[in-house]
Amino acid sequence: MEHAIRHLQSAWDLQDNTLCRLVAVQDLAARKYHGHPGAEALALRDLVNEAITLADDLLAPQHATFLRRWVATGNIAKVAREMGKDRSHVSRDYRPRVVMVVTDVFMHLTGTRNSRSGIARTRRSPRAG
């Protein structure tokens, strides 16, 4: 998720993100971007943007500000300077909190669940046979 947030403005960078393999992402790509190169990356961008918008209301004001600025710039050091905070503090405190909330919202939107091995799909493709 952190990679997706950091590279939200670049479908090129998002296309290799493992979240593109989620059923919900592929379903949205097929519906909204059928035949478009990078459809999964565009669908992932849409879903992460939605998760960020919804997460904004769940975060403390300073964390929400950090998230909006991080999405806009992709640069934690720049955001820390703008907020008058130490970069390492922002990286250790703000970043993990916002990533956790955005991840939780994203998982809810996509119908995925967290597991020790990472994100697992809850829907399976039908098997032949």
Side-chain angles (χ1 to χ4, degrees), residues 2-76:
E2 183 174 340
H3 176 271
I5 294 169
R6 196 171 352 118
H7 296 287
L8 199 57
Q9 306 307 325
S10 171
W12 179 262
D13 288 325
L14 288 177
Q15 70 186 357
D16 293 326
N17 191 300
T18 57
L19 295 174
C20 286
R21 294 186 216 145
L22 292 173
V23 171
V25 173
Q26 292 187 1
D27 287 350
L28 180 61
R31 281 192 323 273
K32 189 172 179 183
Y33 298 105
H34 180 72
H36 191 287
E40 289 85 5
L42 297 172
L44 176 60
R45 182 190 61 196
D46 290 351
L47 288 166
V48 172
N49 267 324
E50 185 175 354
I52 287 168
T53 299
L54 294 170
D56 192 70
D57 291 334
L58 301 172
L59 292 165
Q62 69 273 19
H63 289 99
T65 298
F66 165 75
L67 176 58
R68 285 190 302 274
R69 296 301 307 138
W70 185 27
V71 168
T73 66
N75 186 319
I76 290 177

